[in-house]
Amino acid sequence: MEKHYTDSQVKGVSTGTTILAAIFDGGVVIGSDSRASIGGEYVSSKTINKVIQVHDRIFCCIAGSLADAQAVTKAAKFHLSFHSVQMENPPLVIAAATVLKELCYKNKEELQAGFITAGWDKKKGPQVYVVSLGGMLISQPVTIGGSGSTYIYGYVDAKYKPNMTREECMQFATNALALAMGRDNVSGGVAHLVVITEAGVEHVVVPGNKLPRFHDE
């Protein structure tokens, strides 16, 4: 049956958006732009942080409906906190991705939200998982999503290499976000990046005027 949306559903606040995650030697980088839009046309905010911490060394990037994604991540935080108390250990990254997948799948008729989940755990080290609209879960060494991702598939395919250093991966992620933000009319603002390793978590914010430029704007 064809699904119809009301005007309020179609023009709800969306995350825009450009999101990505990439594994390097010893860790993972996850990042996004900072814009939210309404109806895919009007930018309602330039300061949304779409990289959400769901546990100590597990983060997710959100895409789709901002309200839906925030509701899912809030529920996921609760589930993972309870899980870690029960297990007396931090949750695995796959456990966090599975929680997000289950929440999306069970509510697939009501939710319009997708996620990239990235983190580090003692069992498998750095990991990246994609939870698509509807609740499909897949593991990838590098992934991109959101409206801005359509402009950078070629760059990502050409430039991502396994076992990059932390510095190489940070430059790769920054360049990819800058390229997408330069082309996608609803991606932009600043670049939020989080580096996750066994040693801990580092947050990096790259202002828009500090992002690399690859063409005249």
Side-chain angles (χ1 to χ4, degrees):
M1 181 181 293
E2 184 179 356
K3 189 171 182 179
H4 298 279
Y5 295 93
T6 65
D7 288 344
S8 62
Q9 287 175 306
V10 172
K11 296 190 179 295
V13 177
S14 165
T15 49
T17 194
T18 304
I19 57 177
L20 62 81
I23 293 173
F24 62 89
D25 185 17
V28 60
V29 173
I30 184 169
S32 77
D33 72 316
S34 65
R35 281 187 181 172
S37 65
I38 295 178
E41 300 168 356
Y42 170 70
V43 176
S44 59
S45 174
K46 293 183 178 180
T47 58
I48 295 293
N49 184 1
K50 291 173 271 191
V51 185
I52 309 297
Q53 187 171 21
V54 293
H55 209 268
D56 293 346
R57 285 184 174 81
I58 307 174
F59 287 73
C60 67
C61 275
I62 59 179
S65 165
L66 184 59
D68 289 353
Q70 288 176 331
V72 171
T73 54
K74 185 176 181 179
K77 286 181 184 180
F78 173 79
H79 281 287
L80 293 171
S81 177
F82 185 68
H83 175 74
S84 66
V85 171
Q86 281 187 313
M87 302 299 293
E88 298 183 345
N89 275 303
L92 300 177
V93 182
I94 184 62
T98 301
V99 167
L100 291 168
K101 180 203 74 170
E102 291 295 329
L103 289 167
C104 289
Y105 180 73
K106 289 178 180 177
N107 301 282
K108 59 183 179 292
E109 297 299 326
E110 291 79 29
L111 295 178
Q112 291 291 311
F115 302 88
I116 294 173
T117 306
W120 185 96
D121 61 47
K122 290 183 178 179
K123 187 174 182 179
K124 289 188 176 181
Q127 298 149 72
V128 172
Y129 298 94
V130 180
V131 179
S132 68
L133 294 174
M136 182 179 71
L137 175 64
I138 57 174
S139 172
Q140 295 181 319
V142 60
T143 190
I144 55 177
S147 58
S149 67
T150 58
Y151 300 94
I152 57 172
Y153 275 102
Y155 175 82
V156 171
D157 288 344
K159 295 297 184 180
Y160 177 77
K161 301 291 186 293
N163 302 314
M164 288 193 291
T165 66
R166 176 192 180 281
E167 291 71 25
E168 288 172 338
C169 196
M170 284 290 288
Q171 191 62 60
F172 163 79
T174 303
N175 288 350
L177 288 173
L179 284 164
M181 291 158 70
R183 293 294 184 185
D184 183 30
N185 67 323
V186 288
S187 293
V190 305
H192 289 281
L193 296 166
V194 176
V195 185
I196 312 161
T197 64
E198 182 178 7
V201 171
E202 180 186 358
H203 299 255
V204 178
V205 177
V206 184
N209 62 354
K210 300 294 185 183
L211 288 168
R213 289 178 180 257
F214 299 93
H215 54 83
D216 294 330
E217 294 182 329

